[in-house]
Amino acid sequence: MCGIIGYIGKSEAAPILLEGLRRLEYRGYDSAGLAILNGELSLRKCKGRIANLADLIAREPVCGSIGISHTRWATHGGVTDENAHPHFDQSGKLAIVHNGVIENYQTLKDQLIAKGHFFKSQTDTEVLAHLIGIHYDALPGEASRQRLVEAVRGALKEVIGTYGIAVMHQAVPGTLVGARRGSPLVLGIGKGENFLASDVSAIVGHTREAVYLRDYDIVALDGVDFEISTVNGGTSGFEVSTVEFSEDDVSKGDYPHYMLKEIFEQPDSMANAFRGRLSTEESTAKLGGLNMTPKELRDIERIVLTGCGTACHAAMVGEYLLEHLAHIPTEVEFASEFRYRNMPMNKDTLVFAISQSGETADTLAALRESQRKGHRTLAICNNVASTIARESDGGVYMHAGPEIGVAATKSFTSQVGVLTLLGLLLGRIHHLSTSEGIQIMEELNAIPDKVRTILKQSDYIKSIAEKYSYAKAMMFLGRQFSYPVAMEGALKMKEISYIHAEGHPSAELKHGVIALISPEVPSVFIAPDDSVFDKNVSNIEEVKARKGPVIAIGTEGSTKLEKVADDVIYIPPCPDFLSPLLSVIPLQLLSYHLAVKLGCDVDKPRNLAKSVTVE
Ligand code: M6R
């Protein structure tokens, strides 16, 4: 949450910062701002989107080749111009942008007010700015890079909480200082210019050489050089990485929205998740990143899958998959619950933290808690440089490419794809035969083409979305493997169209949910031709008997559905356990087209941010 970008070099900073902020806007879009250092600090900030900031800068231009900027997802303090970043210290000579939460800010603020400090905002960040300013002023000697670094270090020792920050001081014009704890921060190494950013997507148009800073790192940079130390004053090792993706990968291309682009990327993103991981020789999956010997894999007695939001829904599919394919007892726990719950787990329980971004605060905390208790904790991540990927004991990368739309789409299918590979691997060392293994692999390899055929129905699904755009509430219902898909369909619908939506197991209807059914409340049944198809049809009949409109997702050739449902969207046939990879696609398209019809901002839904780095 919140995106920051800093620039130091020879070019005009403002256009570079604005462009970087546009790429980071998915991280928060309550307000935006920048500060440019050119002799003295110039500040431009306002509430609303980056476009508002761009308009402000067009009216009141700023020049200079050193600057820091921010796009905000509000935590402390409402959405106002004053609370927008950057914030200044008491002297007005030091500026900071911050992603994270300073938990003890109120205590610090009270102490500073008692000493005569004045604050312009309600933010925790402004307190940190004042604190760094105090340390800077208290340090002896000339203005220097070292003095600014020491001031940042001194202030950070006093704060409790999380931060990714960029700081500059009018008296030290050739230096930017960055630091991180709990919030991501990347150093981009250019030619005669350097960058700080929350995410490489902000700088990939300028450089693909990056250092992913670690917790407690402090970096000081000028246009040609940088120096990394730690908050405690020690030295810090670092690695320069080459960013895997290009500027094109983080642009919308010809699509009107990132979400639609990412939905249509799924045949390729799923193929990428499977590529090189299916061995025909041994008819099993190969997942070297798990870092586990065959014996260790055989000894797994229980699996716990944890994540948030869509990742948690993928985990729910994983629970069904792992129990079905590998017969290993599996449980799913919201990461936010896991971290506080103290689940009884024996030592042979394997824990997986599932996260597209690899930066979700609750999932990271669950991972750390699990490791603290001595459990091997693996990750299923998309972002290779993320904190969760780095801190886990091993894992599997999704290789889905950057996902920018706030609504998760391709990450869901990649997560489910990876969990299927895991099920195949564990199933083959327990009870699955060679021929069963081969059959599963063939079915998996056929999935991307089947997804392509579903995507061809986008216009048809759009017509259904428009037909039901009157709905104020919707039900999503499914059984067995389709139950988590129903949950995911409901999340997509409410998150981007703001239509109240609920996901339930179909059979739960009669235990209460059915009271909500009426002609104004359409139900979406995920009813592929699986072992519970007839049961699902009975549940559809129950809804129709109460005059509830029904959209059904069914398998090609399953004509029974046309007799009971008002509209049917067909998916190609596949084994029950692979159906989530197909049945979720129409739900993504349905929510997308409905949200567009309602004029909603699909890629940046209200109140949300892509990467939830606060608790
Ligand atoms: O990056 P993560 O996979 O850890 O994100 C988890 C959730 O915040 C995320 O899936 C969220 O629920 C999406 N906005 C859903 O579309």
Side-chain angles (χ1 to χ4, degrees), residues 41 136 184 221 226 252 295 310 340 348 448 452 550 570 603:
L41 287 170
Y136 184 86
L221 50 145
F226 63 89
K252 280 198 292 239
K295 177 172 180 332
T310 290
Y340 294 115
D348 291 322
R452 280 187 190 98
V550 170
Y570 287 110
D603 282 334

Side-chain angles (χ1 to χ4, degrees), residues 308-311 354-358 360 406-408 415 491-492 495 612:
C308 300
T310 290
I354 306 177
S355 173
Q356 185 283 130
S357 62
T360 300
V406 166
Q415 285 157 355
L491 178 61
K492 287 293 88 88
E495 152 174 64
V612 184

